[in-house]
Amino acid sequence: MAVIALSTIGTAIKAGVALIGVGKIAVLPFLIAAVTYFHYDQFDPENRNVDRKILDASYDFIIIGAGSAGSVLANRLTEISGWKVLLMEAGGQETDISDVPILSLYLHKSKLDWGYKTEAQDTACQAMIENRCSWTRGKVLGGSSVLNTMLYVRGNRRDFDRWSAHGNYGWSYEEILPYFKKSQDQRNPYLARNKRHHSVGGYLTVQDNPYNTPLGVAFLEAGQEMGYDIRDINGDKQTGFALYQFTMRRASRCSTAKAFLRPIRLRRNLHISMYSHVTKILIDPDTRRAYGVEYIKNGQKQTVLAKKEVIVSGGAINSPQLLMLSGIGPAKHLQDKGIRVIHDSPGVGQNLQDHIASVVTFLIDHPISLVINRLVNLNTAARYAIKEDGPLTSSIGLETVGFIPTKYANKSDDWPDMEFMLTSTTTAADGGTQVKKAHGLTDEFYKAVYEEINYKDTFGIFAMMLRPKSRGEIKLRSKNPLDYPLLYHNYLTHPHDVNVLREGTKAAVAFGQTEALKRFGSRFLTNPPPKCKHLPIYTDEYWECYIRQYTLSIYHYSCTAKMGPPSDPYAVVDPELKVYGVSGLRVIDASIMPFITNGNINAPVIMIGEKGADMIKSYWLQPTTKRRKRDFDVVYNAKLNYVYHNDSSSVT
């Protein structure tokens, strides 16, 4: 046993060094060895899902993407022992480093990240290299739940009631609340007593962070000073402040792979194919039915068939890209790329929504914040590995959340338009190394704004705008499935978004000047971005310039294959998440949101996976006569009339 443990420790160290580099954190080898030793059961290869080397010729269901929704679907569909399910993932296993909460930014631009960048646009991200925003997406079992900051935020009840009001039956708040609760294992006993909104015993562990700096509570006091209540932001109301809750378990990340896939690794009706890049959905052009997929694994193009359904869960970037590569999308765009049109669906890749934030930094006088050269040492590593607490359990310093309305929101509605992500660290806390790289900041910008405060005690506010009105889009670069798509964020192209983010930034500056934070010597970092030096500070013109510089995506890409009723010509899927114009095909992930939710979106995506699985079960477990009649039905939404010719599948 000792020999096996030592071998496992050695493998873990090599994997971690290969992932983020040994020079970046000197204590890394000790940290990995300690974690591996004290949590050996978690790293036993038998406790992880196994890559299926040789696949069967066909499966009942093929799920494309093992992310936050795909992992849930694989778990729930294989509850039916008679169904055989294939889960396909372009990446591989999580690593020991990805389990450590404080190291999440070290995963950005690593082998676990698709490493997308937007096209250059002048409206935002002007402080980024080539004016291109870095868009992080998980390429790993568990998807972006392996790279995110683990924040558990459900959104606002008004979000889901709005979905329902736009013709999406079954998606009102009261109808989707049970699916949030179905997944949840709430570890805070105070919150767990609220059985209307929380539950225990689910696969997904939700808990408070075991470590907070003194700033965490001070942020709550500052919120009270501004007139807001401290509340459960996943409960009856959202407006107010709270300590964040996290998808964590035993001080480590609880990804959807860890939560939903590892417990069912012995189910014989689930096969998982890793390092499998799906390049095309196979669709019969005559019957318009999806019947399988093409994929690349080990450098070879292969095919696998689906008897019942193909389910696309690749996320808001990969899912629309795959639909378009398969002939489902805006007809003219597909024809321009030389792709045979199966179904003209103009909404594919459109309606892209994301949450962006301005970054507001404050200096303090007390050594209480998270500074990297004080943070990562043998003591903190041992504390993390043995006691399961300490600063390494911090999710990049995120401690407290505040939901507030600006003057552009109705304050009586409890539908705030601004989220304060309050963190006990900032961009300069690591001396301009990994955070700067992860966010893609230019040397010029970093030197002008942050260099003089390298390694100093600070705290930050990400003033995140909710409910944006600007809409981006995703297009194909070519018909080559290995070419990354063209990503147009279109941030701050709508005046409403400029106004809300400007006012939210001003509110963040005022928040840092409350008495609760002044007792730490809080003072706003006034160094202007180079492109805003000509404007008087604190004016609206200055703030409108400021928010276009360090425009931080919170990585909540969504809404690119939106759900809608048949009367909506831009709806890609119906309220049961079936793709219009093609049978046997669904999209189940963040793409289907018609409007982005009011907060961080990982919890809503897990909910979508839970509800999607139930809708599939309901559809296929009906009496056989009804199922067979509906099996090949193709539902269309209101748009063009289709005429199919023998020589093509173009539309007229």
Side-chain angles (χ1 to χ4, degrees), residues 285-345:
D286 297 321
T287 63
R288 303 173 66 91
R289 176 169 176 78
Y291 64 89
V293 301
E294 285 183 357
Y295 66 100
I296 297 173
K297 184 170 183 174
N298 298 325
Q300 296 182 337
K301 182 180 287 187
Q302 303 175 56
T303 299
V304 62
L305 305 182
K307 297 175 184 177
K308 288 183 169 64
E309 292 189 22
V310 175
I311 303 165
V312 183
S313 298
I317 297 175
N318 300 72
S319 288
Q321 180 191 21
L322 182 59
L323 290 176
M324 289 188 282
L325 288 168
S326 307
I328 304 169
K332 185 178 185 309
H333 178 55
L334 300 188
Q335 290 163 351
D336 290 344
K337 300 300 179 184
I339 296 172
R340 185 183 188 187
V341 178
I342 298 293
H343 177 61
D344 176 23
S345 184

Side-chain angles (χ1 to χ4, degrees), residues 619-631:
Y619 181 86
W620 287 100
L621 296 178
Q622 290 189 26
T624 302
T625 52
K626 293 182 180 179
R627 185 176 71 241
R628 285 181 178 167
K629 180 178 183 300
R630 295 169 49 192
D631 189 4

Side-chain angles (χ1 to χ4, degrees), residues 150-191:
M150 308 176 296
L151 305 177
Y152 186 81
V153 179
R154 292 177 176 175
N156 191 290
R157 68 176 300 130
R158 292 280 299 270
D159 301 330
F160 307 105
D161 289 342
R162 178 163 66 154
W163 290 9
S164 178
H166 278 75
N168 296 297
Y169 57 85
W171 290 90
S172 69
Y173 177 74
E174 293 299 332
E175 290 169 302
I176 59 91
L177 179 58
Y179 292 104
F180 280 117
K181 295 168 64 179
K182 184 176 183 179
S183 294
Q184 188 185 41
D185 183 19
Q186 175 58 258
R187 295 294 178 90
N188 181 319
Y190 173 77
L191 296 178

Side-chain angles (χ1 to χ4, degrees), residues 109 117 125-134 427 432-433 435-451 529-531 549-550:
K109 301 181 179 177
K117 281 185 174 291
C125 297
Q126 294 181 17
M128 279 68 165
I129 297 169
E130 298 178 340
N131 282 19
R132 301 176 71 189
C133 315
S134 297
T427 304
T433 54
V435 179
K436 174 177 174 285
K437 175 187 174 183
H439 294 168
L441 298 176
T442 64
D443 292 338
E444 178 194 16
F445 175 83
Y446 187 88
K447 183 175 182 179
V449 178
Y450 290 111
E451 189 172 68
K531 295 179 181 178
Q549 307 305 310
Y550 195 168

